[in-house]
Amino acid sequence: MQAVFARLGQLDPDIAVLLVIAGLIYGLFGWRIVRYLAFTDALVMGIILALGVFEYDKRAAYLLPAFPVATVLVIGLPWLAWRFARWSVAIMCGVAGFLVVQIVLMQYETPLAVRLSLGFLGAGAAMALKMTLTRETAIVVTALHGGWLFMGALAIMAVHPDSFAGRLFNSLYETHALLIPIVATGLSAILIAVQWADMERDMNPIYNG
């Protein structure tokens, strides 16, 4: 957890504004545009993996054809996400389930094999829920997405201790590391409530004429 927020703190403060906007989009409108969000996630993941390929290629004395591999990742993953929308959304939910388990277990001394096993169980459960309760699962996953994007924005603003957000984030972080996931979950719960109300309104025949 510390390493993640330390890396976020190195980003430009303007990125925090983009994360807040993205968090609002994911958290308030996620279930309506989940296909586009899965495409966006795939694009971001492709860029991150491509940068990792270039970094590895640099360290490994150019053993990889870095540019072709990076191009395939940046173009291929978003294309697959758009072409196979149902599966890409399910995979997005699976990744969210895996990461939630890892965040919970991060506070404990747990063997890597146990973390991975429980993470894959969480991923499988999230994907099964997506196939069964399509809208409801999309709401939960996109709201969690939005809540953690807000926390990322706070982590970036925390490098400016004179700001209110910086003081708030630092107080939470220094009090107990577990409070950060709790706050992110609380924000996500608010976003879930908003989206859920929107979904029920959309499904209510009174509002649909």
Side-chain angles (χ1 to χ4, degrees), residues 22-30 37 139 142-147 150 190-192 194-195:
L24 287 173
I25 293 173
Y26 273 89
L28 297 179
F29 312 107
L37 299 183
I139 286 174
T142 54
L144 284 171
H145 222 316
F150 278 123
I190 295 171
L191 296 172
I192 288 172
V194 172
Q195 282 200 71

Side-chain angles (χ1 to χ4, degrees), residues 30 60 63 65 77 130 135 140 145 183:
L63 295 177
L77 288 181
K130 178 66 185 80
R135 288 185 172 186
V140 173
H145 222 316
V183 172

Side-chain angles (χ1 to χ4, degrees), residues 2-26:
Q2 291 89 338
V4 173
F5 285 110
R7 181 66 62 89
L8 285 171
Q10 297 172 2
L11 298 177
D12 191 281
D14 293 338
I15 300 296
V17 178
L18 297 178
L19 290 180
V20 169
I21 295 172
L24 287 173
I25 293 173
Y26 273 89

